[in-house]
Amino acid sequence: MDRKVLVIAEMKGQKIRNVSIEALTAAKQVAGAGNVISAILGTHSAIQVDLLSQYGAEQIYIVEDSDYDEYHPELYTHAVVKLIQETQPDVIIMGHTGNGKDLAPRVAARLEFGLASDCIDINLDASDEIVISRSIYSGKLFEKKKFNSGPIFVTIRPNNITPIQQATEALTISYTVEKPSITLLIKEIVRRAAEKVDLTEAKVIVSGGRGVKSAEGFKVLQQLADVLNGAVGASRGACDADYCDYSLQIGQTGKVVTPDLYIACGISGAIQHVAGISNSKFIVAINKDPDAPIFEVADYGIVGDLFEIVPQLTNEFSNI
Ligand code: FAD
């Protein structure tokens, strides 16, 4: 079946988010001989046209307006509803980012579409029907779902779909949306100190738990993360103990991460933590307790003191 698929691309600063490129690849997978359309909002959106067309967008709707530089629930919901009404897609895909988590249910509810959130795959089965895969019960099981009717809205978890370049001659459409009257006024946006690498999109994460013992101890993890071009994460134990900011918390009530390499240092491996890391490609655990549950989910385990092992790893990798 040929389908029209709309990808809502998302910017972070002046760059397009990786997950939006992954969404384009997912869109190509399910479109068949149909169309892949992309929409992008904000001041710098026009400069992303080349990138979107390299990954298969055939039509690109640009809403170049500074009112969309920061996410505003009402403005974005209104604009995306209008874009969907204009383009009439069978499937809408966007990243399961902070904004995606808020926007997708609002739009789906407004248009009475089905919504599958936080999917790790979207593909076609033998009878050409769309099947989505997502993890449930804190990452213990994976479910596959089909939809009886469309249109459907899907958000995809970052780092699960490998982007494939499929260059097209994209048609660019400058699109203007009339603004609705808004009830929500965002007075101030307070940003945390910018992470060098976004945790949810990081390929390598060095994560610390209560075993790191202090904020000072986290500097040792940062050094290893720096040589691996990765990000630092944390267990809730470490956040509760004030060793680091809650924005670093990974797990059931923190961020869900999907790196190629997750290095857990001084983390016991409680089920609520493992819920956030189970989709990592490789898990390495460093813990001085050989019976720590983290070793049950780790691909490689190192029993020992993290303050001896982590600097050795940093030293070793900085020589490569
Ligand atoms: P601990 O369990 O205290 O483990 C510390 C580990 O460090 C131990 O295994 C110890 O052997 C090791 N260690 C100590 N010193 C060293 C050293 N020098 N070298 C090497 N190893 C050392 N937790 C999360 O992480 N994320 C969540 O999102 C989350 N959500 C939760 C939601 C709910 C509803 C509940 C009830 C709990 C949640 N938790 C979550 C908390 C979770 O249950 C655990 O309490 C927490 O993950 C423990 O953190 P930890 O592993 O850092 O600490």
Side-chain angles (χ1 to χ4, degrees):
M1 195 199 294
D2 303 340
R3 294 183 179 87
K4 210 189 234 191
V5 187
L6 172 66
V7 170
I8 310 295
E10 198 184 325
M11 309 266 282
K12 189 175 185 200
Q14 296 186 20
K15 277 185 69 193
I16 206 153
R17 278 187 172 270
N18 290 344
V19 69
S20 301
I21 302 300
E22 293 160 16
L24 280 172
T25 298
K28 278 296 222 190
Q29 277 165 197
V30 294
N35 284 124
V36 173
I37 308 166
S38 185
I40 187 155
L41 302 88
T43 312
H44 301 289
S45 44
I47 56 175
Q48 304 302 327
V49 164
D50 278 354
L51 190 61
L52 293 169
S53 64
Q54 266 176 46
Y55 285 89
E58 291 145 282
Q59 284 175 33
I60 304 170
Y61 283 75
I62 298 172
V63 185
E64 188 142 32
D65 182 332
S66 58
D67 281 354
Y68 299 101
D69 285 353
E70 298 291 351
Y71 177 68
H72 184 291
E74 290 172 326
L75 286 181
Y76 262 76
T77 303
H78 180 77
V80 171
V81 165
K82 290 285 170 207
L83 281 159
I84 291 170
Q85 286 166 342
E86 170 80 19
T87 54
Q88 297 285 316
D90 304 296
V91 185
I92 305 112
I93 307 179
M94 76 175 297
H96 194 71
T97 58
N99 295 352
K101 281 181 211 175
D102 190 77
L103 180 63
R106 285 174 187 272
V107 174
R110 185 80 60 91
L111 294 170
E112 298 189 357
F113 290 177
L115 170 67
S117 64
D118 200 13
C119 300
I120 54 171
D121 193 25
I122 165 166
N123 232 313
L124 300 174
D125 67 6
S127 46
D128 204 30
E129 285 189 81
I130 293 179
V131 182
I132 60 96
S133 310
R134 57 202 293 270
S135 74
I136 53 171
Y137 300 130
S138 302
K140 282 214 173 93
L141 290 179
F142 291 97
E143 68 171 3
K144 287 188 178 217
K145 272 190 174 162
K146 280 188 195 178
F147 292 83
N148 290 332
S149 60
I152 57 168
F153 207 136
V154 176
T155 65
I156 56 163
R157 188 181 283 190
N159 273 351
N160 274 281
I161 295 165
T162 308
I164 300 171
Q165 283 207 2
Q166 311 172 62
T168 57
E169 291 278 330
L171 173 70
T172 310
I173 299 150
S174 195
Y175 191 71
T176 316
V177 191
E178 243 176 64
K179 308 271 165 55
S181 55
I182 50 171
T183 53
L184 176 80
L185 178 67
I186 298 175
K187 293 178 86 173
E188 191 185 5
I189 295 173
V190 181
R191 296 193 193 285
R192 298 191 185 280
E195 297 164 11
K196 285 189 192 161
V197 184
D198 188 323
L199 259 184
T200 56
E201 292 185 350
K203 297 283 179 205
V204 178
I205 296 175
V206 181
S207 201
R210 226 182 320 243
V212 177
K213 294 192 177 71
S214 64
E216 198 61 26
F218 265 80
K219 291 188 180 156
V220 178
L221 305 193
Q222 184 68 59
Q223 285 160 359
L224 177 57
D226 285 346
V227 298
L228 295 171
N229 195 23
V232 169
S235 71
R236 178 157 142 187
C239 299
D240 285 345
D242 221 7
Y243 302 161
C244 56
D245 193 89
Y246 276 103
S247 61
L248 301 191
Q249 185 185 319
I250 291 168
Q252 188 181 321
T253 45
K255 289 181 175 149
V256 174
V257 296
T258 49
D260 291 342
L261 176 62
Y262 186 82
I263 307 179
C265 310
I267 294 177
S268 58
I271 182 170
Q272 296 89 352
H273 186 77
V274 171
I277 65 169
S278 54
N279 259 30
S280 307
K281 288 208 177 83
F282 286 99
I283 299 176
V284 174
I286 304 169
N287 198 303
K288 63 182 185 186
D289 174 6
D291 296 323
I294 191 77
F295 288 124
E296 289 165 25
V297 293
D299 300 282
Y300 296 96
I302 305 174
V303 178
D305 186 339
L306 72 95
F307 291 105
E308 288 171 19
I309 293 156
V310 174
Q312 282 177 31
L313 291 175
T314 307
N315 194 26
E316 198 63 35
F317 288 122
S318 51
N319 291 329
I320 292 175

